Amino acid sequence: MQVRFGGFGLTTAGIQTWRGLGASARLGWQVSSNWTSPGVFLVYSVLRPISAALILTVIYQVITRGRASTYLAFLITGTAFWSFVQQGLSGFANAILDDRGQYRMLKYIYIAPLPFGVYLVGRAIAQLAGAAASAVIVIGLGTITLHLPINPLRANWLLLGVACLLAFAAIVAIGMAFTFLLLAGRDTHGYGEIGAGVLYVISGAIFPIGILPGPLATIAALSPLAYWMELVRRSLLQAQAYQMFPGLSDVDVLIRLVASTIGTVVVASLVFRWADRRGRQQGYVDRDVQW
Amino acid sequence: MSRPSALRIFVKTVIARAYPRTVGHARNWSWVVIEIVLPLIGTVAMVYVYRALRAPAEYTGFVVLGGTLLAFWQNIVFDMAGNFIWERGGSNLELFTVAPTTFTAILLGMALGGIFYTAQRAAAVLLVTSLLFQVHYRPAGIAPAVGLLALTLLALYALGMLLASLFLFFGRSAWHALDGMQEPVYFLSGFYFPVHSLGAYVAGAASIIPLTLGLDAIRQVLLPGTPVFLAPAWEAGLIALQIPAYLLSAQWALRMMERLARRDARLSMRWV
Amino acid sequence: MPDLIQSAAVQTIALRRVYQSRRESVVALDGIDLSVARGEIFGVLGPNGAGKTTLIKILVTLLLPTSGQAFVDDLDVARDFQELRHRIAMVSGGENSGYGLMKTREHIWMFSQFYGLSSRVARARIDELMERLGLTEAADRYVSALSSGMRQKMNLIRGLVTDPRILFLDEPTVALDVGAARDVRREVRRWVQEDPTRTVILTTHYMNEADELCDRLAIVNHGRIVAQGTPPSLKQQVQQDVIVDLQLTLGRDLLTELRRVDGVTAATVTQQDGADRFSLLLADDGVLTSVLGIVAGSGREVLGLQKRDPSLEDAFVKLVGRGMAEEEAP
C-alpha cells in the first residue's frame, strides 16, 4: 500500500518506520529526563562537560602562564563536541542496557514489528539531542568568559553542519554495534564509558593525534572523529584554529571524513548484524541482569 | 533473653558486609576491567594534553598520582554514596534495617571491602602509568606517602558514609546527581593539576573533600617541584580533623535517615 | 500496658497509617485491633491494597504508625525497635535480596552475622535447614543462578537461621510452583510445632494456604479488619447460606445482574475451560429460581450446577464483597 504526501510516495511500512523512529526518540528523551524538571536536567547535563572544560582551562593556564595560544580554543571546542560521542556511545549503551536489565523492556521492543535498528537510532537521536544542549552551552560560555575567537557571523555553518551530520552517522553506527556487543555480557554496564574513553584518546578531542605513538596515530587517522573535530574547529574558529592537519585543505579533510564515515558505517553494520544474529542464538536480549 | 553484645554484632557485621565486596569483585572480572581501564584512559589522555602543551616532565607525575587516586573517588561515589539506593532497589535495605545491627557497621564493612579491592585497582593504575610514562618518585617520600594515603582514605570513606545516608533521600535523581559529581570533583580536587593552581580560596573550599588535601600532600612528598598549597604536615593535620568530623556527621545523618525513612516509608520505596 | 499485651506475641491497638504525598493522602490502615497469641500461625488475608504489607512493615519496625500502638513480643514497635530486632525476622515473597555473586550458603551466613550469630553455629544451622528444605545441592551455587523456588527457600532459611521468636512472612509462596510452595508451608508448620513459643504472622493471597496453615485469620479490607477467627469459624459465617457453583457458556456480563437479585448474598465469576464459573451465595434454595430465570433470559446455556460445602473463599467473598483476584469496582 502506498500513501501520497505531496509529491512523495510513502509505503505503509515506511510511515510506520518514521512513526517508530519518532516514538523511539521521544521515549529515549522521556526515559532519560523523567526524573526531574527540564531545568535541573539541563544543569546535570552540562555539569560534567563544563567541569571537564574547566580542568583543561586550568591545565592550559598553568602551563602557558598567559602566553597567547590557539590551543585553548582547541581544548574547549573538542570538549564541547565530545559530548556527542559520550552520549552517542556511553549514554546510549547504558540506556539500552538499562532497557534490558533495569526496565526489562528490551525484549518486548525487540519482538515488535518496528525494525530494532530503527528503535536504536531513535534512542540515539534522543541522546544526541541532549548532547547538543551541553555543546552549545560550553561553547557559549567559553566564548564569553575565555574570549575564544568564535564569531557566529563568520563561522562556516554549512561546513559545520555537513561535518556533524557525517560524524553523527558514524557515532550512531559505532554506538549501535558496540551496544549490541555489550549485550553479550551479563554485566557490562559501564563498558560504554570505556568505549568512549578509547575514542577520546584517538579522536583529537583534547590533543592532536600526531603526538600519539605510531600504531595509535594510525588507528586515529582511520577514524572519522579526528577529521570531524578538525572541521568543527576550522568552521568555528576559521584562521584562528589550531590545526591537526595543517597540510590538508578543508575539502581534503571533508573527503577523508566522508571516506572514513562510510568505512565506519559499513564495518559497524556488519558487526551489528553479526552481533544481532549471535544475540538471538545465545538469548542475550532478554537476559536477566543480577549483580 | 540472652543475646549477643552490641560490640559483637558490630564487628561481625563489619566483617560480613566487607565479605561480598572482596569476593564479589574477585569473582566478577568485568568490573576489574572497568575500574583499571577507565582511570588509565583518563590519565593517558591528560598526559598527552600536557605533552601537547610541552609542559615540564613533573606534570606527568601529577597526572599519574591523580589518576591513581581517582579509583578511590569513583569507589566512594558509586559504591558508597550510591550504595543504599542500590540496596533499596534489591530489597536488601529492608533486611539490614530489620536486623539488630547498625547502618554504621554495614557502611564500615562496605568501606573496608571497598578499600581492599580499590587499593588493588589503584596500585595497578599507578604501576602501569608510572612505567609507561617513566615517572620518577622521591624514594624518601614513599613511607610518608603511604601514611598520608591511609589518613586520606579514612577521611574519604567517612565522607562516603555521610554521602550514603544523604543520597538515600534523592529518589530518582540520585544516580544523575552521583554521575554529575564526577568531573566537578576531578576539577576541584586537582586530580590532573596541582590544586595550588586554583588559588587559595577555591583550593581552600575544595579542601572539604579529603582527596584535595591528601593528593596535594602525597604529590609534595613524592614529586619534587610540586607547587605548595599547604605544607604536607598541615594538610595531614587537617585531614586528621576531617575524620572524626565526617564520622560524627555520618552517625548523625544515619540516625536521622532511619527516623525519617521509618516515618516516610522511604526504606522500601523504589525508583525506577 | 494491659495484661493482654503481656501475654500476646503481637498486639495492635487502633493502629492507623496514612501515606501522605503532595497530591493525596492514602489511608492504608484504619484502626487495626489485633491480638496474636504465642505459638500461633496467624494469617492476614486481604485483596491487593488492603493494608497487609503496611501492617507487616509496622510490626517489623520498618515503618512508624501514624497513630495507635503496636506491640511485638511485649515491645513497642515505635519505641523499643532496637531490642525488638533481636527477636524477629522477615521474609517477603518475590524478594530479590542478596548479591548475585555470592553463593547461597555465604548469603545466608552474611545475614546471620548481622544478628551476631557465631559462624560455627550459623553454618551448622544453615546446613540443617538446607537439608530440610532440599537446598543442599544449591549451597555452593551463586544466588543469581537460583530458580525462584530455590531463592524463596533460601530467603526462608535466612529468616529461620537466627532463630527468631516471631517470624513475619509476607506472601511467602507467591509465584512458587506447587512443590516449592508445599515445602515452604511444611517447614513453617514444622518450625512452629518444634517450639510452642514461636509465632508466625503470615500474609497471603492464597485461600488454600491460609486454610491449611493458619490457626487463626484476620480478613483485612480497606485498612480495616472485617473479620477474624479460626478458618472453621470464618466458614461458619457462610454456613447458613446455600452455596452453588453454576457453569455457563460464555456470553454477556451477568455478574452485576446476579448480585442485584434479592437473596444473592455474594457472587464471583472465574473463567475456566472456555466457560464462566459463577460461585453464588444464596440466602435459601428458593433464590435459585430467580437466578436461573436471569440465566435463561440471557441466552446462555447452563453447563453445570452443583451445591457444595462452604470454603474460606466463600467467607472472604461474603465479607469483602468480591473475590481475591477481582479488581475493585471503580
Side-chain angles (χ1 to χ4, degrees):
Chain A
M1 183 186 167
Q2 213 174 43
V3 181
R4 297 208 67 82
F5 286 95
F8 300 99
L10 273 177
T11 60
T12 324
I15 294 167
Q16 280 174 351
T17 302
W18 276 107
R19 279 188 188 149
L21 189 68
S24 310
R26 267 199 310 280
L27 173 72
W29 171 257
Q30 281 165 353
V31 169
S32 53
S33 65
N34 78 342
W35 50 277
T36 187
S37 63
V40 178
F41 179 69
L42 196 64
V43 169
Y44 279 114
S45 302
V46 300
L47 207 58
R48 289 185 72 176
I50 284 181
S51 300
L54 281 172
I55 290 172
L56 293 167
T57 306
V58 171
I59 287 176
Y60 168 83
Q61 282 173 346
V62 166
I63 302 303
T64 60
R65 294 176 200 279
R67 273 185 285 119
S69 164
T70 50
Y71 196 63
L72 181 61
F74 179 97
L75 288 172
I76 302 299
T77 46
T79 305
F81 278 81
W82 179 253
S83 302
F84 290 105
V85 186
Q86 177 82 27
Q87 287 300 319
L89 193 64
S90 166
F92 174 68
N94 284 342
I96 300 303
L97 290 170
D98 280 346
D99 275 357
R100 179 179 74 169
Q102 193 181 356
Y103 304 111
R104 298 182 185 190
M105 285 299 293
L106 196 65
K107 56 189 168 194
Y108 303 114
I109 295 162
Y110 190 78
I111 61 169
L114 175 76
F116 193 57
V118 172
Y119 168 75
L120 294 179
V121 170
R123 290 295 302 260
I125 288 171
Q127 296 291 134
L128 294 180
S134 76
V136 168
I137 288 173
V138 172
I139 292 279
L141 282 177
T143 306
I144 294 162
T145 59
L146 301 171
H147 309 295
L148 300 185
I150 296 175
N151 182 345
L153 297 175
R154 289 174 54 197
N156 188 342
W157 295 109
L158 180 65
L159 183 62
L160 181 70
V162 171
C164 285
L165 275 179
L166 288 164
F168 294 164
I171 291 166
V172 170
I174 295 170
M176 283 169 60
F178 188 63
T179 302
F180 238 83
L181 289 175
L182 293 187
L183 284 175
R186 193 173 282 277
D187 182 24
T188 44
H189 207 278
Y191 272 57
E193 293 269 347
I194 293 184
V198 170
L199 293 182
Y200 191 50
V201 173
I202 62 164
S203 67
I206 56 169
F207 55 82
I209 59 170
I211 65 165
L212 284 168
L216 274 180
T218 309
I219 295 168
L222 289 172
S223 129
L225 297 177
Y227 303 114
W228 169 52
M229 287 286 177
E230 179 76 355
L231 288 176
V232 162
R233 290 178 181 119
R234 289 187 185 191
S235 58
L236 285 176
L237 300 162
Q238 301 284 312
Q240 309 255 26
Y242 180 108
Q243 296 194 355
M244 279 193 286
F245 309 106
L248 297 180
S249 69
D250 290 359
V251 175
D252 289 340
V253 179
L254 187 61
I255 289 168
R256 286 175 188 231
L257 175 60
V258 170
S260 54
T261 299
I262 291 170
T264 301
V265 171
V266 169
V267 172
S269 306
L270 293 173
V271 171
F272 180 79
R273 277 162 195 262
W274 174 81
D276 183 20
R277 202 170 49 246
R278 190 151 180 270
R280 267 193 289 163
Q281 276 168 355
Q282 308 284 330
Y284 296 149
V285 174
D286 66 337
R287 198 175 230 193
D288 192 20
V289 180
Q290 199 173 51
W291 192 75
Chain B
M1 188 184 186
S2 76
R3 57 176 176 80
S5 69
L7 179 65
R8 179 186 166 92
I9 293 177
F10 188 90
V11 172
K12 281 185 162 289
T13 300
V14 171
I15 295 168
R17 187 59 192 88
Y19 184 77
R21 289 248 147 166
T22 48
V23 299
H25 279 257
R27 288 171 187 172
N28 185 359
W29 285 94
S30 67
W31 275 99
V32 178
V33 175
I34 287 178
E35 283 162 20
I36 292 178
V37 173
L38 267 182
L40 211 58
I41 290 172
T43 307
V44 168
M46 288 302 168
V47 168
Y48 281 123
V49 170
Y50 277 114
R51 289 196 173 173
L53 284 164
R54 295 189 183 82
E58 64 261 28
Y59 280 85
T60 303
F62 298 155
V63 175
V64 164
L65 286 179
T68 302
L69 291 193
L70 194 135
F72 289 104
W73 179 247
Q74 288 192 333
N75 183 238
I76 290 294
V77 169
F78 293 109
D79 283 1
M80 287 289 288
N83 188 266
F84 278 165
I85 308 161
W86 189 83
E87 301 279 22
R88 182 174 56 189
S91 64
N92 286 330
L93 195 63
E94 288 180 5
L95 300 176
F96 293 164
T97 312
V98 171
T101 188
T102 59
F103 281 134
T104 310
I106 284 170
L107 284 173
L108 202 59
M110 283 189 334
L112 285 180
I115 289 175
F116 174 76
Y117 75 77
T118 308
Q120 298 170 42
R121 315 286 189 270
V125 172
L126 180 68
L127 194 70
V128 171
T129 48
S130 297
L131 290 174
L132 198 64
F133 297 115
Q134 304 281 300
V135 181
H136 298 288
Y137 302 103
R138 190 159 48 198
I142 292 173
V146 171
L148 282 164
L149 177 66
L151 205 60
T152 306
L153 292 184
L154 282 176
L156 188 64
Y157 279 83
L159 173 66
M161 289 168 71
L162 174 63
L163 292 175
S165 52
L166 298 180
F167 271 89
L168 194 59
F169 288 89
F170 262 65
R172 253 195 201 114
S173 61
W175 288 118
H176 298 274
L178 289 168
D179 213 28
M181 276 173 72
Q182 289 187 83
E183 272 82 359
V185 172
Y186 299 167
F187 168 64
L188 290 170
S189 289
F191 272 98
Y192 297 120
F193 51 80
V195 73
H196 167 266
S197 317
L198 290 176
Y201 292 114
V202 178
S207 299
I208 197 166
I209 303 158
L211 269 175
T212 309
L213 295 168
L215 180 55
D216 192 58
I218 291 169
R219 277 178 180 149
Q220 286 187 55
V221 298
L222 279 178
L223 298 168
T226 305
V228 178
F229 166 52
L230 286 172
W234 274 101
E235 290 179 327
L238 288 171
I239 298 169
L241 288 176
Q242 287 180 337
I243 297 168
Y246 285 136
L247 276 178
L248 290 173
S249 307
Q251 279 272 27
W252 172 82
L254 286 168
R255 269 200 298 271
M256 178 78 103
M257 175 204 82
E258 190 181 350
R259 196 169 61 79
L260 291 176
R262 289 180 72 209
R263 193 191 66 186
D264 301 336
R266 281 170 182 262
L267 288 169
S268 49
M269 192 183 285
R270 289 174 184 83
W271 302 94
V272 287
Chain C
M1 208 185 300
D3 283 349
L4 185 63
I5 295 168
Q6 297 287 349
S7 60
V10 172
Q11 172 89 24
T12 68
I13 303 162
L15 197 65
R16 191 176 152 81
R17 171 71 207 200
V18 181
Y19 291 106
Q20 202 80 43
S21 75
R22 268 179 227 162
R23 268 171 276 169
E24 56 177 352
S25 70
V26 176
V27 180
L29 295 181
D30 192 10
I32 297 276
D33 293 303
L34 198 67
S35 179
V36 180
R38 287 178 206 287
E40 271 192 313
I41 299 181
F42 188 88
V44 182
L45 266 177
N48 285 334
K52 304 184 299 287
T53 300
T54 299
L55 177 63
I56 293 283
K57 281 186 177 172
I58 290 174
L59 296 177
V60 299
T61 78
L62 276 173
L63 198 60
L64 286 168
T66 306
S67 62
Q69 282 181 296
F71 299 90
V72 175
D73 208 20
D74 299 339
L75 297 169
D76 185 331
V77 295
R79 203 185 51 220
D80 309 319
F81 60 95
Q82 290 289 12
E83 175 58 33
L84 176 58
R85 288 172 183 172
H86 289 275
R87 308 184 191 184
I88 58 170
M90 174 184 73
V91 177
S92 302
E95 188 184 283
N96 210 17
S97 66
Y99 307 103
L101 285 169
M102 281 182 91
K103 292 173 181 170
T104 311
R105 197 198 303 268
E106 292 172 337
H107 167 87
I108 304 168
W109 166 82
M110 184 186 78
F111 276 98
S112 76
Q113 300 306 286
F114 298 165
Y115 291 74
L117 216 61
S118 94
S119 290
R120 191 177 48 78
V121 172
R123 287 195 189 104
R125 283 190 195 163
I126 291 167
D127 287 346
E128 185 193 334
L129 287 162
M130 279 193 158
E131 191 165 349
R132 202 170 276 155
L133 275 154
L135 207 59
T136 307
E137 271 181 34
D140 290 318
R141 209 178 284 179
Y142 288 133
V143 170
S144 57
L146 297 182
S147 68
S148 45
M150 286 174 166
R151 204 175 173 115
Q152 193 55 4
K153 286 179 180 178
M154 177 191 76
N155 290 334
L156 182 63
I157 295 172
R158 178 190 45 68
L160 297 177
V161 74
T162 53
D163 195 20
R165 302 272 294 265
I166 299 159
L167 178 64
F168 292 88
L169 301 172
D170 189 12
E171 312 270 4
T173 58
V174 72
L176 294 191
D177 64 43
V178 178
R182 189 189 51 225
D183 290 347
V184 167
R185 284 199 288 269
R186 191 179 52 212
E187 181 54 26
V188 170
R189 169 62 73 193
R190 188 207 61 78
W191 184 76
V192 176
Q193 283 171 347
E194 196 176 74
D195 181 346
T197 64
R198 290 171 176 166
T199 308
V200 171
I201 310 290
L202 164 93
T203 74
T204 182
H205 258 95
Y206 303 129
M207 297 291 175
N208 290 345
E209 182 168 277
D211 204 358
E212 177 194 325
L213 205 55
C214 297
D215 301 310
R216 282 196 313 130
L217 288 166
I219 294 178
V220 183
N221 193 29
H222 294 305
R224 290 168 180 270
I225 293 177
V226 291
Q228 59 178 313
T230 61
S233 74
L234 288 171
K235 287 178 207 167
Q236 280 284 334
Q237 304 217 11
V238 283
Q239 204 66 53
Q240 304 305 316
D241 296 88
V242 174
I243 298 162
V244 173
D245 278 348
L246 178 64
Q247 254 187 308
L248 300 181
T249 52
L250 297 176
R252 72 175 167 86
D253 175 35
L254 277 184
L255 189 63
T256 320
E257 226 172 312
L258 290 175
R259 278 176 175 166
R260 285 199 196 116
V261 174
D262 206 20
V264 173
T265 321
T268 57
V269 63
T270 49
Q271 278 200 357
Q272 265 177 5
D273 306 325
D276 276 340
R277 179 178 169 269
F278 288 84
S279 278
L280 305 170
L281 272 66
L282 310 177
D284 56 63
D285 285 333
V287 182
L288 195 55
T289 317
S290 316
V291 167
L292 291 174
I294 288 173
V295 170
S298 73
R300 294 172 74 172
E301 206 177 313
V302 176
L303 300 172
L305 174 69
Q306 67 178 70
K307 270 171 82 173
R308 61 170 171 80
D309 290 334
S311 68
L312 194 56
E313 184 150 11
D314 299 320
F316 182 91
V317 169
K318 187 175 180 183
L319 290 161
V320 174
R322 60 187 162 117
M324 184 72 94
E326 198 180 330
E327 289 297 320
E328 195 169 9

